[in-house]
Every structure is written in C-alpha cells, then in structure tokens.
C-alpha cells in the first residue's frame, strides 16, 4: 500500500538513510547523556535528554513515512550500522570532546538531509520533503546549541 503508484524508490532510499542516521545518533546521544562527567554534567545531561527525546519521536515518523511511500523500513542494528554515516560509539572521554563528537554527527546528518532533499526536489513527494525539512530544522538548532555550549570564555 503506497501513496504513489511509482517513483517512490528514491524517497525510500533517502528516508532509510536518515532513519539509520537518526537511530544511530539516538544511541550516541544517550551514551553521552549517561556517561558524561565534569563541571557541565547537569547542563549537558539535560540538553542531551531533550535531543534523544526528539530523536525517539523522529525515528517513528521517518519509518512510518517509508511505509507510506511503499517501502519496507529497516529495523535492525545491522541495517542501521550499514546505512548510517557515523557509528554509535562515543570514543571521547571528556565532556568537551564528547560534545564535539555529537556535533560532528549532527553535521553529518544535516549534510545527508540536504543531499536527500536535493535528490527529491524534482519529485512530487512533498510529504517526504516536509518530513526532511522538519528534521533539518531540528539538527540545525541542535548544532547551534552544541556550538554555543562549546564556546570557551
Ligand atoms: Fe535520562
């Protein structure tokens, strides 16, 4: 059952990549939320909670959009690891480096979303483009928040 009779494969492909990125980033964000230590513990712990809550809602919206446009949603860690542009592992051990790692992942997913929107710009799948635009806003806001937290004064 699909909203479109054809030409939705590109939408499925784009959405699957963003789903994988989002799921892996959800894990990465929780890893920082749980393991962060340092004088900014409270701020970063609370900020990352807001981010992973957003990502939890997002993965459901993206997966359901894949179904609407006629695809089968990836739903295993193996598939997500293969499709995502970064890993769930947090290698950093201090608070600044942990935030920098999260920042890099948000910048990577932002690039993937922009490339996805460009890919679909000739299609008439405005619903998917709308979902992607919503995700872009979240990641751009988050990039701003993390960068502002990283300013040393
Ligand atoms: Fe928590």
């Amino acid at each position: 059952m699909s909203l479109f009779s054809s030409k939705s494969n590109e939408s499925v492909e784009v959405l699957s990549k963003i789903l994988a990125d989002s799921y892996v980033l959800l894990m990465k964000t929780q890893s920082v939320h749980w393991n962060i230590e340092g004088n900014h513990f409270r701020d970063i712990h609370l900020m990352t909670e807001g981010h992973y809550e957003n990502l939890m809602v997002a993965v459901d919206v993206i997966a359901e959009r894949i179904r609407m446009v006629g695809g089968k949603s990836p739903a295993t860690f193996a598939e997500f690891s293969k499709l995502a542009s970064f890993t769930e592992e947090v290698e950093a051990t201090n608070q600044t480096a942990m935030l920098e790692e999260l920042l890099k992942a948000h910048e990577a997913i932002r690039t993937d979303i922009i490339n996805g929107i460009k890919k679909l710009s000739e299609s008439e799948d405005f619903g998917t483009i709308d979902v992607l635009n919503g995700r872009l806003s979240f990641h751009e806001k988050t990039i701003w928040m993390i960068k502002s937290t990283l300013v040393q004064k």
Side-chain angles (χ1 to χ4, degrees), residues 2 13-14 19 67 71 78-79 81 98 102 124 129 138 145:
S2 168
E13 203 179 294
V14 167
L19 174 64
R67 298 292 298 137
E79 287 169 292
S81 300
M98 278 183 175
L102 283 183
E124 293 196 354
I129 292 170
F138 165 74
M145 287 173 89

Side-chain angles (χ1 to χ4, degrees), residues 9-138:
N9 280 354
E10 239 180 6
S11 298
V12 172
E13 203 179 294
V14 167
L15 286 163
S16 297
K17 169 97 179 159
I18 305 308
L19 174 64
D21 280 348
S22 302
Y23 217 103
V24 171
L25 184 52
L26 166 60
M27 283 189 266
K28 207 176 184 74
T29 303
Q30 283 188 317
S31 174
V32 172
H33 173 76
W34 293 327
N35 294 311
I36 192 125
E37 288 182 333
N39 56 336
H40 294 297
F41 169 83
R42 189 179 150 79
D43 288 343
I44 296 170
H45 183 73
L46 292 177
M47 178 175 73
T48 48
E49 182 171 294
H51 296 166
Y52 78 66
E53 282 175 353
N54 177 292
L55 287 160
M56 264 179 190
V57 175
V59 292
D60 194 51
V61 171
I62 300 165
E64 289 175 0
R65 185 70 201 173
I66 291 173
R67 298 292 298 137
M68 283 176 229
V69 297
K72 184 175 183 293
S73 180
T76 63
F77 289 134
E79 287 169 292
F80 293 147
S81 300
K82 217 168 105 185
L83 287 169
S85 292
F86 43 85
T87 70
E88 78 283 5
E89 196 183 355
V90 175
E91 285 172 16
T93 51
N94 69 67
Q95 58 185 3
T96 303
M98 278 183 175
L99 278 186
E100 281 165 353
E101 259 193 74
L102 283 183
L103 178 63
K104 268 194 198 142
H106 281 281
E107 285 172 338
I109 190 170
R110 175 177 181 266
T111 301
D112 288 340
I113 293 168
I114 289 171
N115 289 337
I117 293 170
K118 281 185 189 162
K119 226 184 213 178
L120 299 181
S121 63
E122 297 291 302
S123 78
E124 293 196 354
D125 188 359
F126 302 113
T128 293
I129 292 170
D130 186 50
V131 169
L132 293 172
N133 278 326
R135 298 315 304 152
L136 185 62
S137 298
F138 165 74

